[in-house]
Amino acid sequence: MRGTAVAAIALTSLMVVSACAKDSGGGTTPAASGSGCEFSAPPTAPATSSTSAATDKKVDGSALKIGLAYDIGGRGDASFNDLAAAGFDKAIKDMGVKKENTRELSAAPNEDESAKQTRLRQLASEGFNPIVGVGFAYTESLKVVAPEFPNVQFGLVDSAVDGVANVTPLVFAEQEGAFLAGVVAAYQSKKCHVGFVGGVDIPLIQKFEAGYVQGARTAAPKVSVDKKYITPAGDFTGFQDPPKGQEAAKGLIDKGADVVYPAAGASGIGVFAAVKEAGVLAIGCDADQYNQPALAPNRDVIVASSLKRVDVAVYDFFHAAAANDLASLPKIFDLKSNGMGYATSGGKIDAKLQGILEGYKAQIIEGKIKVAAAV
């Protein structure tokens, strides 16, 4: 997240909503049962979805060797990296890639830049092509390594390398999914007071914060929103420190937040533990975290999740590379391209709120609501 990461999955000061309140229809409606907020008149849910599905055209990848370089945490982070792994696994299955022609390597917390370069060189020099770097942390390394292997196609999640033709950016409108998380938080809060935990205080995670605050305040203009970042920019352990995630969430809960949304990678595990202990609620990030095995002990507090479809982007990149059609990839993975979304596993979101979410989603896709990418 970062998303993911995972995300991990993106969120410092509070954001003030401007034109978006108008887009929601104006005025307020009485608080829903069990909620402490008064709500803006919500948009009407559309008759049909306007998202576009990923291609299902079959391609033959049996001759490919594909590689994946994870961000810190690797498989098992219940977030950003696990989504990348899901896209990798789907590509292997759907395209007929032989297991011996696949390779996964993981990063270590706060490792030297040279370690990332070595990891990418190892994959490329051993004949893996295409290769995906999972996370913006690979940006500087790909500036160096990609030109050394001009015939290798690299995908880069969450970032771009300008002027290097063999690096395809796989970037997301994280703020759009976070907006929907903010709407859910406002409607689920009994105190009209919600919180956000960011893993690392960087622009990517601030995108989550911006969307979350905008969504909450579009739905409920008087909602209180508090935030806490686990580590400052440059210290990426904030994406892999559940105890500090737990501490950060406890601080927000102690201040009055009764719905907490983490964009903190594996540190979100600690956030959910704090939420469970306090008897309040949480919203998952990047993956459908209600269904993540690592979160099973605390999943009953997760009322919904914003989805950053790293799995879709990774799969689509491998698919497009195999078909020699990288130009077909979207410039940004957003709600319209099915690169962002939300999940309501667990049955805690009723039909009324589901309709409200679909209404806001449609307004974002249609451009009636512009979701800011920064606070």
Side-chain angles (χ1 to χ4, degrees):
M1 165 171 340
R2 227 119 24 276
T4 168
V6 156
I9 13 353
L11 318 160
T12 59
S13 62
L14 300 182
M15 174 176 186
V16 178
V17 174
S18 53
C20 289
K22 298 178 186 176
D23 292 330
S24 68
T28 60
T29 59
S33 177
S35 173
C37 291
E38 289 187 346
F39 300 109
S40 303
T44 302
T48 57
S49 172
S50 54
T51 55
S52 57
T55 179
D56 57 1
K57 180 181 177 181
K58 291 292 184 181
V59 297
D60 181 9
S62 59
L64 291 181
K65 295 180 67 175
I66 64 175
L68 196 66
Y70 290 112
D71 205 342
I72 59 173
R75 277 190 189 257
D77 72 345
S79 184
F80 187 78
N81 286 299
D82 274 353
L83 284 168
F88 186 67
D89 292 344
K90 178 175 170 59
I92 293 168
K93 179 180 178 181
D94 287 3
M95 299 192 306
V97 181
K98 298 179 177 67
K99 189 63 178 177
E100 61 268 25
N101 288 340
T102 69
R103 181 71 58 82
E104 302 169 65
L105 299 175
S106 294
N110 292 332
E111 65 184 8
D112 291 338
E113 192 65 36
S114 61
K116 293 180 178 63
Q117 292 182 19
T118 297
R119 186 175 306 115
L120 293 170
R121 284 195 186 97
Q122 178 182 343
L123 290 169
S125 63
E126 291 179 1
F128 290 93
N129 181 21
I131 297 166
V132 172
V134 184
F136 64 88
Y138 284 99
T139 306
E140 296 303 314
S141 293
L142 279 170
K143 288 180 181 178
V144 175
V145 176
E148 297 174 1
F149 299 91
N151 295 322
V152 175
Q153 293 295 335
F154 294 91
L156 176 56
V157 176
D158 281 347
S159 191
V161 179
D162 294 336
V164 181
N166 60 326
V167 178
T168 299
L170 306 173
V171 294
F172 299 80
E174 290 91 351
Q175 69 274 14
E176 293 184 357
F179 180 102
L180 299 177
V183 173
V184 173
Y187 274 90
Q188 293 291 306
S189 175
K190 295 180 180 179
K191 300 178 180 178
C192 206
H193 191 160
V194 303
F196 168 78
V197 175
V200 183
D201 193 359
I202 53 176
L204 176 63
I205 304 304
Q206 291 161 10
K207 289 171 71 178
F208 285 92
E209 179 196 356
Y212 180 66
V213 177
Q214 185 176 341
R217 290 191 169 170
T218 298
K222 295 181 180 180
V223 68
S224 295
V225 189
D226 288 323
K227 52 83 184 176
K228 176 66 176 179
Y229 284 87
I230 297 172
T231 56
D235 181 357
F236 294 104
T237 61
F239 290 131
Q240 200 181 16
D241 197 330
K244 286 187 177 178
Q246 187 167 3
E247 180 183 351
K250 186 178 184 303
L252 296 178
I253 294 165
D254 288 346
K255 292 174 68 174
D258 62 358
V259 183
V260 181
Y261 174 56
S267 297
I269 296 170
V271 172
F272 298 129
V275 168
K276 177 70 174 286
E277 183 178 1
V280 295
L281 299 174
I283 298 172
C285 188
D286 286 348
D288 182 357
Q289 294 196 297
Y290 181 88
N291 287 320
Q292 291 291 313
L295 300 174
N298 299 318
R299 73 175 187 170
D300 56 310
V301 303
I302 302 174
V303 296
S305 295
S306 69
L307 302 180
K308 178 176 176 179
R309 301 300 305 274
V310 178
D311 56 333
V312 170
V314 168
Y315 173 81
D316 284 0
F317 170 75
F318 284 129
H319 186 282
N324 195 29
D325 190 21
L326 290 172
S328 66
L329 294 172
K331 298 299 182 186
I332 186 165
F333 288 87
D334 56 11
L335 284 174
K336 187 172 184 177
S337 66
N338 198 36
M340 299 299 302
Y342 69 94
T344 58
S345 299
K348 297 179 173 64
I349 302 300
D350 62 21
K352 181 179 178 180
L353 181 51
Q354 186 89 34
I356 291 169
L357 288 169
E358 284 299 306
Y360 279 119
K361 177 181 174 181
Q363 289 204 340
I364 294 170
I365 290 172
E366 293 165 10
K368 294 178 180 179
I369 292 179
K370 304 289 187 182
V371 186
V375 294

